[in-house]
Amino acid sequence: MRSGTVFTQGLRHGVGESPYWTVEAVRQVRYHVVSSEGLFDPGNTALLTGCPDAPMYPGDRRLVVMDQNVDALYGGDVRSYFTAHGIDATVVPLRADEAVKQWDAVARVVDAMNDFGIDRRREPVLAVGGGVLTDIVGFAASLYRRGTPYIRIPTTLIGLVDAGVGVKTGVNYERGKNRLGTYAPATATFLDRSFLRSLSLRHISNGLAEILKMALIRSEALFGLLESRGAAVRADRLQGTTEDLARAADAIIAESIHLMLEELQPNLWESALERCVDYGHTFSPTLEMHALPALLHGEAVVIDMALTTALATLRGDVSEAQADRVYHVIQALGLPLWNDVLEDPALLDEALRDTVRHRDGQQRLPLPIGIGRHHFVNDVTPAELRDAARLLGERARGYAPWAGALVPEQVGA
């Protein structure tokens, strides 16, 4: 046989003694993020018509996997909504918190999909709950029949601004945070802030941590808004009970989601490993898993951000005055500066090693430059981490060398 290479669109065929083929293909991705207040009010049709790729019509069926706590609060409204619109809905309550974010939960969702006899082309699964629930359901949907469409309806702030707008799914494995997972975009995410009315302030703060992340590495203007209005918006649970609070809540939510999507869209599959949205996620996975269940996800993230702010201060990239502003905002949002897991230097070393492993042999650690900008570094040492932890510990205990130190408020108050 004559040697050579034959090219067709997306396919290269090498002809010779040992033939080979190279296949290139591009997967088109399109998903929708739709905001609608009162999603399950009977007169609201956004869930039926708001996503052109997943409309619902009378006579359709839907499998609805719902966080059991959400079911206790809103299950009646959800069932009544589907009944009113002629949708045959099967609701499956599921416990969904970090302690049970494991393979067993995924298997329960797969069993429910199988028992339902889901038509994977026409019947997207609905996931109604916080980020843990939507991660579990998204992971199960990505596996069932090699991919079943699903729709996310986040009911927590962290779900609205973080877990609900990206394409990653996952569950924990052993002591690894989200060690099992897939890239599987939901067909649509519906955002309804009215769910936040029933959240504790601690869980509101949990979501504000991810918003603060985007502010610190992308937007000084968003940071300024959190600095001036964040505490009031938190106390109002982002419900906009006054015109001023409504404007502030709208701006905070919209800007944080837009910044997040700007960062995610060019790099959905994380082929580029320098991702500024990884800010706060270098040490936090290890800290969170070791402190479980004492820390919520956003609390672990903000402790990571406080630690790396201290690190950037030691490096001269963040001034002491800027660091003080950051720490004040963290406290004003009801978030912790410190957890005693930071007292174990071996744990920080372990976290850094784990980061290097999954960032292809480099740290690729995003660090702030002032407020609203960032750069990536690969030379953080264990000694620096210990110095940063010591500095942060002094600040958290009210002994910082610069002015204005406050003792952190009790999280969840």
Side-chain angles (χ1 to χ4, degrees):
M1 181 181 292
R2 206 160 39 110
S3 63
T5 304
V6 178
F7 293 92
T8 58
Q9 185 173 4
L11 178 64
R12 182 172 63 181
H13 178 199
V15 181
E17 292 184 3
S18 299
Y20 70 90
W21 292 262
T22 301
V23 178
E24 295 182 16
V26 176
R27 179 187 177 188
Q28 182 179 357
V29 175
R30 180 168 92 158
Y31 65 95
H32 308 265
V33 180
V34 181
S35 181
S36 180
E37 299 290 319
L39 195 62
F40 288 106
D41 291 346
N44 188 338
T45 60
L47 192 57
L48 308 177
T49 62
C51 173
D53 296 332
M56 278 191 281
Y57 303 102
D60 283 354
R61 303 188 315 153
R62 287 297 182 269
L63 177 65
V64 183
V65 183
M66 190 182 311
D67 183 292
Q68 64 183 19
N69 295 320
V70 176
D71 187 33
L73 292 169
Y74 300 104
D77 294 338
V78 172
R79 290 171 177 82
S80 295
Y81 179 87
F82 286 117
T83 298
H85 292 284
I87 308 298
D88 181 10
T90 297
V91 178
V92 177
L94 186 74
R95 180 185 169 189
D97 55 65
E98 206 67 41
V100 296
K101 192 183 182 186
Q102 304 285 346
W103 174 255
D104 287 351
V106 178
R108 284 194 288 275
V109 176
V110 170
D111 287 343
M113 295 169 69
N114 202 53
D115 292 344
F116 186 79
I118 202 161
D119 182 340
R120 66 170 293 268
R121 303 284 182 184
R122 301 187 308 106
E123 296 176 337
V125 182
L126 272 65
V128 185
V132 170
L133 185 283
T134 57
D135 270 3
I136 291 169
V137 175
F139 189 24
S142 73
L143 298 176
Y144 189 73
R145 301 292 300 274
R146 299 184 180 88
T148 297
Y150 70 105
I151 290 172
R152 292 178 296 211
I153 303 173
T155 58
T156 62
L157 182 55
I158 203 166
L160 263 71
V161 301
D162 185 67
V165 299
V167 301
K168 293 197 291 189
T169 75
V171 295
N172 306 328
Y173 179 73
E174 296 293 340
R175 296 194 69 84
K177 173 77 172 173
N178 289 331
R179 194 58 55 88
L180 303 177
T182 57
Y183 296 97
T187 304
T189 297
F190 288 90
L191 309 180
D192 180 0
R193 292 212 311 263
S194 66
F195 283 114
L196 306 184
R197 287 196 299 260
S198 57
L199 283 188
S200 69
L201 286 180
R202 183 184 183 190
H203 280 86
I204 296 293
S205 297
N206 192 47
L208 286 169
E210 291 285 359
I211 296 175
L212 179 61
K213 173 189 78 176
M214 297 309 301
L216 290 178
I217 46 100
R218 278 291 313 270
S219 175
E220 188 172 6
L222 179 57
F223 179 84
L225 191 54
L226 290 172
E227 191 173 37
S228 63
R229 306 300 294 144
V233 165
R234 170 185 178 263
D236 192 50
R237 290 176 170 80
L238 291 97
Q239 295 306 294
T241 54
T242 68
E243 186 176 341
D244 175 63
L245 288 172
R247 282 196 303 269
D250 288 346
I252 287 169
I253 292 288
E255 183 65 5
S256 64
I257 290 175
H258 185 76
L259 290 170
M260 176 70 81
L261 290 175
E262 273 191 341
E263 290 296 326
L264 294 179
Q265 184 275 329
N267 191 30
L268 281 177
W269 317 122
E270 299 184 5
S271 54
L273 295 178
E274 289 190 345
R275 304 170 66 248
C276 71
V277 292
D278 282 337
Y279 184 55
H281 293 71
T282 298
F283 305 101
S284 63
T286 300
L287 301 180
E288 181 180 353
M289 296 306 292
H290 277 76
L292 197 70
L295 287 177
L296 298 177
H297 175 70
E299 294 168 349
V301 168
V302 85
I303 289 170
D304 184 316
M305 293 192 294
L307 176 67
T308 49
T309 295
L311 178 61
T313 304
L314 292 173
R315 287 184 163 219
D317 292 326
V318 171
S319 71
E320 291 183 353
Q322 289 169 330
D324 201 48
R325 289 177 65 196
V326 171
Y327 297 143
H328 272 286
V329 170
I330 288 172
Q331 294 170 310
L333 297 180
L335 288 160
L337 288 177
W338 178 265
N339 184 276
D340 287 345
V341 293
L342 291 176
E343 293 179 348
D344 181 2
L347 196 60
L348 294 177
D349 295 348
E350 175 190 335
L352 190 58
R353 286 193 299 270
D354 188 57
T355 291
V356 169
R357 279 194 296 271
H358 75 257
R359 292 181 187 168
D360 198 24
Q362 296 187 56
Q363 294 176 359
R364 306 182 199 270
L365 202 162
L367 285 181
I369 301 175
I371 294 173
R373 296 184 299 124
H374 65 277
H375 66 155
F376 295 91
V377 302
N378 290 294
D379 59 350
V380 173
T381 67
E384 277 188 291
L385 288 178
R386 287 192 288 274
D387 288 343
R390 175 191 52 77
L391 181 62
L392 179 62
E394 292 173 353
R395 174 58 175 82
R397 292 174 177 83
Y399 300 124
W402 53 92
L406 293 174
V407 176
E409 71 173 73
Q410 178 67 37
V411 176

